[in-house]
Amino acid sequence: MALLFLSPDDPADTWRAELQARIPGLDVRTWPQVGDPADIDLALVWRAPPGELGRYPNLCAVLSLAAGIDGLIADPDLPDVPIARMVDPSLTRTMTEYVLLAALRHHRKFDRFERAQRAREWAYAFPPQAADRRVGLMGLGELGSAAARALVAHGFQVLGWSRSPKVLDGVVSYPGRSELHAFLHRTDILVCLLPLTSDTVGILDAATFAELPHGACVINVARGQHLVENDLVEALDSGHLGGATLDVFREEPLPRGNPLWDHPKVLVTPHVASYSVPATAADGVAANIRRALAGEPLLHQVDRARGY
Ligand code: NDP
Ligand code: OXD
C-alpha cells in the first residue's frame, strides 16, 4: 500500500513527516518518483496534470489538498473512486481573516484613502458604521459559515445564499435560486465562496451585478470561473460597482497583460486567501487514509453528481 503525493504547491517532505507521525511506516511516494503505479492505493493531490490519476490501476480514493475539487472532477480520466475535499482549521481561519479584511477594507473605503494618499489629498469622510453595512455571502459551507460568524461578531448585517436553508446566529438565510434576487438586492458587499459547478460558473456576471445596490463591492475568493471579468470591469467603469477584491482568476498566474492588474478599483491577490497547514490538516487526511483502507465512507466526501 502506498500514498501518492502530487502537488506542485505544497511541501511534500513536511506532509510526509506529518502523515508518518500519525501512521508509522506509511509509504509516501512523491510525484513524479512514483515507482510501480500498481503500488499506489491512495492519492493526496492538488493540481494533478489531467490524465495522471488514470494511471494507477489500484487507486481506491483521492484525497484533495484543496477545498475546491472542480479541477479534479473535470478530468475525464479520473477513476470512479471516492473523493474527499480538504476541511482544516487553518484553511478556515485564514479564509475568515481574508474575508473580514477585504470586507473591512471596502467598508472603511481604504482603497479611496490609498488613492488619496498618492494624490496628497486629505480626503476626510465620516467613518461608516458596520451595523449599517450588509455583507452577503454566496456559499454558507465550511468557509462561508465561518466567515459569516466573524462578520456577525464584527457587527455587520450578514446575509447568506446557499442551496439549502441555514440556521446561523445573526445570519439571514436565502436558500435557492428563487431567493437570489432578494439576497442580491440587500447586499452591499458580496463575497463569493461557492464551489465551481455547472450551476455556479459565471455567476458573477452583468445580471448579478445589476441586481446589487449602486456602489456595492465584490469579493471573489472562490474560483476565477465564477467571474465574468469583462462584466466586472464594465460595472466598475460605469460607477455601478464601487470596488472589487479578487483572489482567484480564470488563468493563474494572472497574465501580465490582464487589465485587472491596473484597474484602480480592483485589488488583486495571488490565490492566497487561505491555505491548509500540514500540522493541522494531516489529522483529517490520516483519518481518511485509515477510512479508505478500511473501506469506510470518507470524511467530507464529495458528491460527484452535485459537483462539490
Ligand atoms: P462547501 O462545500 O463547504 O460549501 C459550499 C456552499 O456553497 C454550501 O453552502 C452550498 O450550499 C453552497 N452552494 C453550492 N452550490 C450552490 C448553488 N448552486 N446555489 C447556492 N448555493 C450553492 O465549500 P467550502 O466552504 O469548503 O469552499 C468553498 C469554495 O471556496 C471551494 O469550492 C473553493 O473553490 C474555494 N476556496 C478558495 C480558496 C482560496 O484560497 N481562494 C481556498 C479554499 C477554498 P448547501 O450548504 O446548501 O449545500
Ligand atoms: C482550495 C484552494 O480550494 O486553495 O482549497 O483554492
Side-chain angles (χ1 to χ4, degrees):
M1 130 69 197
L3 171 91
L4 166 70
F5 182 90
L6 194 176
S7 170
D9 298 334
D10 291 277
D13 291 343
T14 311
W15 268 104
R16 176 185 289 104
E18 292 290 350
L19 289 175
Q20 288 175 343
R22 289 158 179 83
I23 306 179
L26 181 70
D27 181 359
V28 180
R29 313 256 178 107
T30 303
W31 189 83
Q33 272 80 48
V34 176
D36 182 353
D39 293 345
I40 301 295
D41 296 289
L42 299 165
L44 180 57
V45 298
W46 166 236
R47 293 188 167 144
E52 178 61 25
L53 293 173
R55 290 185 49 234
Y56 304 95
N58 296 319
L59 195 68
C60 67
V62 176
L63 312 179
S64 171
L65 284 158
I69 48 73
D70 44 283
L72 264 177
I73 62 175
D75 181 353
D77 296 322
L78 183 70
D80 186 16
V81 296
I83 302 170
R85 58 194 203 84
M86 177 57 71
V87 174
D88 165 56
S90 58
L91 188 76
T92 304
R93 191 174 324 108
T94 44
M95 181 59 83
T96 298
E97 281 173 7
Y98 186 106
V99 171
L100 190 57
L101 178 64
L104 283 168
R105 180 173 174 274
H106 288 299
H107 168 61
R108 295 297 301 266
K109 305 200 185 313
F110 267 38
D111 51 343
R112 288 193 199 164
F113 293 129
E114 285 157 12
R115 288 197 291 274
Q117 178 181 352
R118 284 193 286 277
R120 297 178 176 256
E121 278 170 17
W122 186 258
Y124 186 83
F126 283 112
Q129 297 300 308
D132 297 330
R133 190 81 67 195
R134 301 163 300 180
V135 184
L137 291 137
M138 300 179 107
L140 278 181
E142 288 291 335
L143 302 178
S145 59
R149 282 190 205 97
L151 292 159
V152 169
H154 193 76
F156 287 111
Q157 294 180 43
V158 182
L159 308 72
W161 184 64
S162 46
R163 285 219 312 190
S164 51
K166 303 286 173 204
V167 181
L168 274 171
D169 268 358
V171 180
V172 184
S173 167
Y174 291 81
R177 275 275 163 180
S178 58
E179 293 285 302
L180 182 58
H181 171 82
F183 165 82
L184 293 171
H185 269 250
R186 294 174 190 145
T187 290
D188 301 312
I189 299 175
L190 181 69
V191 181
C192 181
L193 263 172
L194 291 166
L196 183 68
T197 67
S198 54
D199 283 338
T200 67
V201 63
I203 196 162
L204 299 177
D205 64 358
T208 292
F209 300 145
E211 303 250 30
L212 294 170
H214 185 82
C217 296
V218 173
I219 299 169
N220 187 19
V221 272
R223 285 290 179 264
Q225 292 87 339
H226 286 122
L227 177 67
V228 181
E229 290 181 5
N230 288 342
D231 289 3
L232 176 73
V233 171
E234 276 174 28
L236 291 167
D237 289 347
S238 73
H240 178 63
L241 289 185
T245 301
L246 306 177
D247 185 55
V248 287
F249 302 89
R250 281 174 188 259
E251 191 178 342
E252 295 181 3
L254 185 63
R256 289 181 68 83
N258 189 301
L260 292 171
W261 280 116
D262 298 320
H263 200 288
K265 289 181 171 178
V266 175
L267 175 66
V268 168
T269 59
H271 202 141
V272 291
S274 74
Y275 186 67
S276 44
V277 174
T280 56
D283 285 338
V285 171
N288 264 341
I289 292 172
R290 290 197 186 90
R291 282 170 173 259
L293 295 178
E296 293 168 8
L298 302 179
L299 302 170
H300 315 297
Q301 189 163 323
V302 169
D303 177 340
R304 279 213 209 186
R306 206 175 57 159
Y308 67 102

